[in-house]
Amino acid sequence: MKSYAAASSPPAKRRWKGLAVAVLALVCFSLLVPLAFLLGLQNRFPSGNLSDERSSSESGFENYARMHAGGEQNESKGDELRVNDLMDRFKATIPEDVTVNFRKKPTTESIAGAQSTSPPNDAISYSKPKNITSRGLPTEQVVAPKAPSSLNTRNDGRDGKENHSKDSAGDEAEKSCQHEFGSYCIWSLEHKEVMKDALVKRLKDQLFVARAYYPSIAKLQGQEKLSLELKQNIQEHERMLSEAISDADLPSLSTPLLPFSVGKKIQNMDHTIAEARSRTIDCNNVDKKLRQILDLTEDEAHFHMKQSAFLYHLGVQTMPKSLHCLSLRLTVEYFKNSLKDIEQLHAYKLNNPIFQHYVLISRNILAVSVTINSTVMNAEETGHMVFHLVTDGQNFYAMKHWFARNSYKEATVRVLNFDNLNLIHSYNFGLRQLSPSEEFRVSISDIAQSSPMQMRTEYLSVFGHSHFLLPEIFKNLKKVVVLDDDVVVQRDLSSLWNLDLEGKVNGAVRFCGIRLGQLKTYMGGYNYNGDSCAWMSGMNIVDLESWREHNITGNYLGLLQKFQNGTEASWRTSALPISLLAFQDLIYNLEDTWVQSRLGHDYGVSADAIKNAAALHYNGNMKPWLELGIPKYKSYWKKFLTQEERFMAECNVNP
């Protein structure tokens, strides 16, 4: 036993010695870790973290510290991802150009073009056809090639001001905004509110300056007191701004002399900033911090602008709840209480060419009722007026019941279900679907010899695909007046009906704000006169006999095969070039006083121009039946709105 103990004694001593060393190392490590933590925490202060206390009131300044370390960028990306996810959920109702433009800033050469037939060097993006209840709200966007410097545009009554010819920096910024966000920019400028909360603005300005000076002051030796004072003032400002978004939310405004009042804190911050400015510091660091804050603020403002534009487009492109309710209630009522079919009483008028025939293609009950009512109320003789309203199966019964309930003097209103029409060409993709007039938002690059390139935005309305089936739908008619549902008539249209088109097919108002030569990239290499003005739909007189003679529908089908590849996107994109090419040299130019357009996107149309026009066209996004419509133009539309209608009251329809 002794020999065994003696033999095992030296290893045991070595084990005990190893344990002692391990314990000593653990003790040293436990002392060094807190020391390293304290030193690291102290070194972090100059970069932005101002307090060891992680209170909720200081969370705003912690975000500011992460902002300089890159954390804020991650949060902004997270917010943007959430917005993009929201837009993905609304893809079924929001046009593609809106969602893509929010995710990628467009340029004059790249704007979300999504069709194989689109030109490679220019940009074109299209949205869903104007088939929602608020017809025409989804607008197409085209970026046209450079325009000649001698481009002539007609005066639309803009109080003596030429359209899109301003050279100031503010106008250039506005044009750039319209190019990216469309009519939202015009709407936001008109509804811009002046900031009335001067104290909140003052607090924010002081906070920005203090944040810029703090990192440099914290690094100075012997300035611990000033650094602490600056830090405390910054935290106080952040706490107040986290609880207040207006002056009314700020505490103790009525007692400015109290030490905890807002006025006192503003004075303390002014004094502290003045002290910081009096110190000798590296101005480059302050300049760098201010530039960082400015860049981040601009990024945040742009992000919120994208959010606002998204909500604006969602508002103008979504069927209002009240109109959806109206359509449903009328449909249910149609099957509950079928009224007498007025059409059968006037069946002899429906296909008789001696009567005046008016055609509307729409899904919007309220809009077409205003168009028809305004036309009838301003007509000298209504007994010879026949309105043919072409709609889809979803809205057919609602419209049948509406026009059975409401009469329009002695005029006859006939409702046709497009889905049930046996048309020869309905086998073609898309022709089976109702397609009202299409609207395009066109961005033009104007270059003058002595000035830089300028961008301007125009809105162009053209026939939809369903319009090219008019001779087939109305086989026995010789002439029709085609009205869009965003039109209000102000004069008797008998003279338009009796107009001699001199062998032309389509009588339309010219729009020389866009010439065909500016859209040559999208014309597919066809021959045309580049100096010809574009024409506008809205109110057109169409000679169906001349249409059949020139085989416009056959030419349309040939062009359709060239411009569309079977996809819905190409189907929509083809509407603009086909409408312009199919009627090449077959447009009869109506006088400008027949139609005053731009009332759905231009705040500058004069009252005199509106008064002198035979019809008002609300082309653009801001339709009069929407809450976002231009207020000063709504009265012309509301004047012809049906009054004392029970279903309108029950559905709270009050545009």
Side-chain angles (χ1 to χ4, degrees):
M1 293 295 293
K2 289 182 179 180
S3 60
Y4 175 76
S8 61
S9 178
K13 291 179 179 180
R14 286 194 295 270
R15 286 197 299 272
W16 281 107
K17 184 177 180 180
L19 291 174
V21 172
V23 171
L24 181 61
L26 182 61
V27 172
C28 294
F29 184 74
S30 63
L31 294 175
L32 289 175
V33 169
L35 182 61
F37 174 76
L38 293 175
L39 290 176
L41 189 61
Q42 181 66 23
N43 291 333
R44 285 171 57 194
F45 281 159
S47 64
N49 283 331
L50 299 179
S51 176
D52 300 336
E53 301 173 2
R54 300 295 184 234
S55 64
S56 59
S57 64
E58 299 171 7
S59 61
F61 200 81
E62 292 173 357
N63 290 336
Y64 168 71
R66 291 196 302 271
M67 177 172 54
H68 292 293
E72 186 72 17
Q73 296 177 358
N74 293 333
E75 293 182 3
S76 298
K77 291 180 180 178
D79 291 339
E80 190 162 359
L81 288 175
R82 285 192 290 272
V83 173
N84 290 339
D85 178 66
L86 179 61
M87 289 189 291
D88 289 337
R89 299 179 186 179
F90 283 97
K91 269 187 175 180
T93 57
I94 297 179
E96 299 170 1
D97 64 321
V98 174
T99 59
V100 175
N101 283 341
F102 284 169
R103 301 180 187 180
K104 179 177 69 172
K105 293 183 179 180
T107 63
T108 57
E109 306 225 346
S110 175
I111 302 185
Q115 65 161 1
S116 59
T117 59
S118 61
N121 296 326
D122 291 293
I124 181 169
S125 62
Y126 298 86
S127 68
K128 299 224 178 260
K130 301 182 303 183
N131 53 12
I132 309 176
T133 298
S134 50
R135 187 205 71 75
L137 299 182
T139 56
E140 327 287 357
Q141 174 173 314
V142 179
V143 176
K146 301 173 183 177
S149 58
S150 60
L151 178 66
N152 296 321
T153 59
R154 77 178 175 93
N155 189 341
D156 284 299
R158 296 177 57 80
D159 299 324
K161 299 179 181 178
E162 293 184 3
N163 297 338
H164 312 286
S165 61
K166 302 176 183 178
D167 298 326
S168 64
D171 292 330
E172 291 301 323
E174 180 182 345
K175 293 171 185 175
S176 176
C177 178
Q178 289 189 46
H179 182 59
E180 181 174 359
F181 297 120
S183 58
Y184 162 75
C185 301
I186 306 174
W187 178 87
S188 63
L189 287 176
E190 290 293 330
H191 293 80
K192 185 177 181 180
E193 296 182 2
V194 179
M195 185 174 183
K196 301 177 181 179
D197 303 301
L199 287 178
V200 171
K201 184 177 184 299
R202 181 78 181 278
L203 290 172
K204 291 180 178 179
D205 292 342
Q206 287 184 330
L207 185 59
F208 285 164
V209 176
R211 282 174 170 176
Y213 273 98
Y214 178 78
S216 298
I217 296 297
K219 294 178 182 178
L220 295 179
Q221 297 295 330
Q223 300 297 329
E224 289 79 7
K225 181 179 178 180
L226 178 60
S227 177
L228 179 61
E229 184 179 354
L230 190 59
K231 178 183 70 172
Q232 291 175 345
N233 285 330
I234 289 175
Q235 291 175 346
E236 285 293 331
H237 274 50
E238 287 180 336
R239 183 186 61 78
M240 286 189 295
L241 292 174
S242 67
E243 299 173 354
I245 59 176
S246 64
D247 288 355
D249 299 329
L250 293 172
S252 309
L253 286 178
S254 60
T255 55
L257 298 180
L258 293 179
F260 52 85
S261 68
V262 176
K264 189 66 175 178
K265 291 176 181 178
I266 290 178
Q267 293 177 6
N268 292 340
M269 179 63 91
D270 281 336
H271 175 74
T272 305
I273 291 176
E275 288 290 329
R277 286 174 174 170
S278 66
R279 301 298 188 268
T280 303
I281 58 176
D282 187 357
C283 293
N284 290 331
N285 290 336
V286 178
D287 178 71
K288 181 180 179 180
K289 291 297 181 183
L290 285 173
R291 290 182 183 277
Q292 288 177 350
I293 295 173
L294 177 62
D295 291 341
L296 290 169
T297 303
E298 288 179 346
D299 291 342
E300 182 180 1
H302 187 75
F303 173 72
H304 286 298
M305 189 173 186
K306 290 196 295 184
Q307 287 182 315
S308 300
F310 168 74
L311 295 175
Y312 166 83
H313 284 286
L314 185 63
V316 299
Q317 295 170 22
T318 305
M319 178 194 297
K321 183 179 179 181
S322 57
L323 297 186
H324 182 69
C325 167
L326 179 63
S327 179
L328 291 178
R329 290 298 307 274
L330 288 170
T331 301
V332 172
E333 193 69 18
Y334 174 85
F335 289 101
K336 287 176 59 178
N337 301 306
S338 296
L339 300 178
K340 189 175 182 180
D341 194 347
I342 305 299
E343 296 178 13
Q344 299 301 324
L345 300 177
H346 304 281
Y348 66 96
K349 295 183 179 181
L350 301 181
N351 296 307
N352 193 334
I354 68 172
F355 292 94
Q356 294 183 10
H357 295 271
Y358 299 83
V359 176
L360 299 94
I361 302 177
S362 174
R363 294 182 174 91
N364 191 327
I365 299 174
L366 208 61
V368 293
S369 67
V370 169
T371 302
I372 293 175
N373 192 30
S374 65
T375 306
V376 171
M377 295 300 294
N378 289 284
E380 296 179 359
E381 173 62 38
T382 61
H384 58 273
M385 302 179 73
V386 181
F387 291 89
H388 303 270
L389 174 55
V390 183
T391 188
D392 60 1
Q394 182 178 350
N395 296 279
F396 172 72
Y397 300 104
M399 289 198 179
K400 286 279 289 186
H401 194 70
W402 174 274
F403 290 103
R405 288 173 55 88
N406 298 280
S407 61
Y408 299 88
K409 291 189 175 181
E410 298 178 3
T412 301
V413 180
R414 174 194 188 188
V415 183
L416 294 172
N417 187 349
F418 184 81
D419 298 341
N420 292 338
L421 296 177
N422 296 320
L423 303 176
I424 298 175
H425 301 101
S426 62
Y427 65 88
N428 197 301
F429 173 80
L431 286 177
R432 297 185 298 270
Q433 304 175 9
L434 187 71
S435 177
S437 296
E438 300 284 357
E439 286 185 345
F440 293 81
R441 177 165 59 91
V442 184
S443 296
I444 302 292
S445 302
D446 288 338
I447 285 190
Q449 295 178 355
S450 59
S451 62
M453 182 180 70
Q454 296 181 355
M455 295 294 297
R456 59 186 176 87
T457 302
E458 303 286 358
Y459 288 79
L460 184 63
S461 299
V462 295
F463 280 172
H465 294 282
S466 298
H467 286 84
F468 289 93
L469 302 177
L470 290 179
E472 189 175 347
I473 298 175
F474 306 103
K475 298 178 181 180
N476 298 322
L477 300 183
K478 299 179 180 180
K479 183 190 297 186
V480 294
V481 173
V482 180
L483 298 173
D484 285 354
D485 60 8
D486 55 354
V487 166
V488 171
V489 177
Q490 299 188 124
R491 290 212 309 258
D492 180 39
L493 299 183
S494 297
S495 57
L496 177 66
W497 175 263
N498 297 321
L499 195 64
D500 182 10
L501 298 184
E502 301 175 358
K504 305 293 185 179
V505 176
N506 183 4
V509 174
R510 294 188 307 168
F511 180 66
C512 291
I514 300 174
R515 296 182 184 268
L516 301 190
Q518 297 173 266
L519 302 173
K520 61 181 179 181
T521 313
Y522 311 104
M523 294 301 183
Y526 287 88
N527 294 325
Y528 57 90
N529 184 3
D531 294 330
S532 297
C533 298
W535 58 273
M536 294 279 285
S537 68
M539 187 173 73
N540 306 81
I541 174 70
V542 177
D543 187 337
L544 295 181
E545 288 187 319
S546 182
W547 184 307
R548 299 182 183 101
E549 180 181 344
H550 289 90
N551 192 24
I552 298 297
T553 302
N555 295 337
Y556 156 77
L557 293 173
L559 291 169
L560 186 61
Q561 294 180 354
K562 299 290 185 181
F563 283 98
Q564 68 98 15
N565 55 18
T567 64
E568 185 179 359
S570 65
W571 173 263
R572 297 195 302 270
T573 62
S574 62
L576 176 62
I578 289 179
S579 291
L580 296 177
L581 290 172
F583 294 101
Q584 177 69 15
D585 299 324
L586 296 175
I587 296 293
Y588 179 87
N589 298 324
L590 299 178
E591 295 182 2
D592 293 346
T593 55
W594 273 110
V595 182
Q596 173 59 58
S597 59
R598 312 179 69 89
L599 272 67
H601 66 89
D602 189 346
Y603 284 83
V605 181
S606 69
D608 289 339
I610 293 176
K611 181 180 179 180
N612 296 329
L616 305 179
H617 189 194
Y618 291 81
N619 63 314
N621 278 339
M622 293 176 274
K623 301 298 184 184
W625 54 84
L626 297 176
E627 184 178 350
L628 295 174
I630 301 177
K632 65 179 181 179
Y633 304 145
K634 280 190 173 183
S635 59
Y636 302 101
W637 185 84
K638 284 187 174 182
K639 182 166 57 174
F640 299 102
L641 189 63
T642 302
Q643 304 296 329
E644 299 180 357
E645 170 59 52
R646 175 170 65 90
F647 293 110
M648 290 179 61
E650 292 177 357
C651 291
N652 195 26
V653 178
N654 186 24

